[in-house]
Amino acid sequence: MVEWTEQERSIINGIFANLDYDDVGAKALCRCLIVYPWTQRYFGAFGNLYNAEAIKTNPNIAAHGVKILHGLDRAVKNMDNIKATYAELSVLHSEKLHVDPDNFKLLSDCLTIVIAARLGSSFTPETQAAWQKFLAVVVSALGRQYH
Ligand code: ZNH
């Protein structure tokens, strides 16, 4: 089981308490689709992804980025049980959506960059350490149902 210090818990809770979901969610998913264009393949039904501008202004992508970010709320509320919390989403992504689990890591990295840019100097090394640990646990839980 993953252990969390009080400092880590308070950092994670602090980030989510002040999070602009609409902005960060949309920006993180857009960035992932632009930086790693092969991740676009899962969003064929979302409309025009023809170039970076189209991705950034696509309302379906923005909305889905926000949905994914809200998906992380579950982990924040269940920090001591993240694996079980994502059992169902892991099955969905592997068996139904066939999302390559490497992509979870790519999206996490984009999310970290967007959060770091927003937090500026308050994204200290301690904050980064707690944040990356949190995302690593989420990514591992989401990848759990893959064989
Ligand atoms: Zn995902 C969906 C979460 C990642 C792709 N997602 C989804 C959902 C959620 C999520 C919550 C919804 C579900 C239902 O409806 O039930 N994701 C998530 C998270 C993460 C993710 C948390 C991490 C962090 N995804 C991802 C990635 C990708 C994806 C990376 C790719 C690339 N998802 C997806 C899809 C879908 C989803 C495609 C479906 C959509 C529709 O609507 O169709």
Side-chain angles (χ1 to χ4, degrees):
M1 206 190 90
V2 181
E3 305 280 348
W4 301 96
T5 66
E6 283 314 310
Q7 191 199 22
E8 288 169 336
R9 288 178 198 274
S10 104
I11 288 170
I12 298 304
N13 280 300
I15 289 175
F16 280 90
N18 296 300
L19 195 54
D20 181 344
Y21 283 82
D22 291 345
D23 185 62
V24 171
K27 280 190 181 145
L29 182 57
C30 281
R31 191 173 272 265
C32 184
L33 297 171
I34 294 166
V35 177
Y36 311 110
W38 58 90
T39 60
Q40 294 169 18
R41 66 187 301 241
Y42 305 104
F43 301 99
F46 280 53
N48 187 1
L49 304 176
Y50 183 68
N51 58 25
E53 207 41 47
I55 291 169
K56 286 192 229 170
T57 53
N58 183 313
N60 297 322
I61 294 298
H64 194 63
V66 178
K67 188 187 270 184
I68 288 181
L69 195 51
H70 275 297
L72 295 180
D73 294 346
R74 307 177 194 182
V76 181
K77 294 194 187 99
N78 298 283
M79 277 181 73
D80 294 313
N81 204 5
I82 291 179
K83 242 174 207 168
T85 303
Y86 285 120
E88 213 174 296
L89 265 184
S90 182
V91 172
L92 178 81
H93 283 82
S94 71
E95 288 168 24
K96 184 151 175 261
L97 301 170
H98 305 294
V99 172
D100 183 327
D102 289 350
N103 294 321
F104 300 140
K105 179 80 172 61
L106 301 180
L107 179 64
S108 302
D109 289 347
C110 290
L111 188 51
T112 298
I113 288 163
V114 174
I115 298 260
R118 278 195 71 114
L119 293 188
S121 58
S122 45
F123 195 71
T124 62
E126 292 77 10
T127 300
Q128 182 180 353
W131 176 249
Q132 306 229 135
K133 176 176 169 183
F134 173 77
L135 286 182
V137 176
V138 168
V139 165
S140 149
L142 280 173
R144 196 149 175 252
Q145 297 299 323
Y146 289 78
H147 308 280

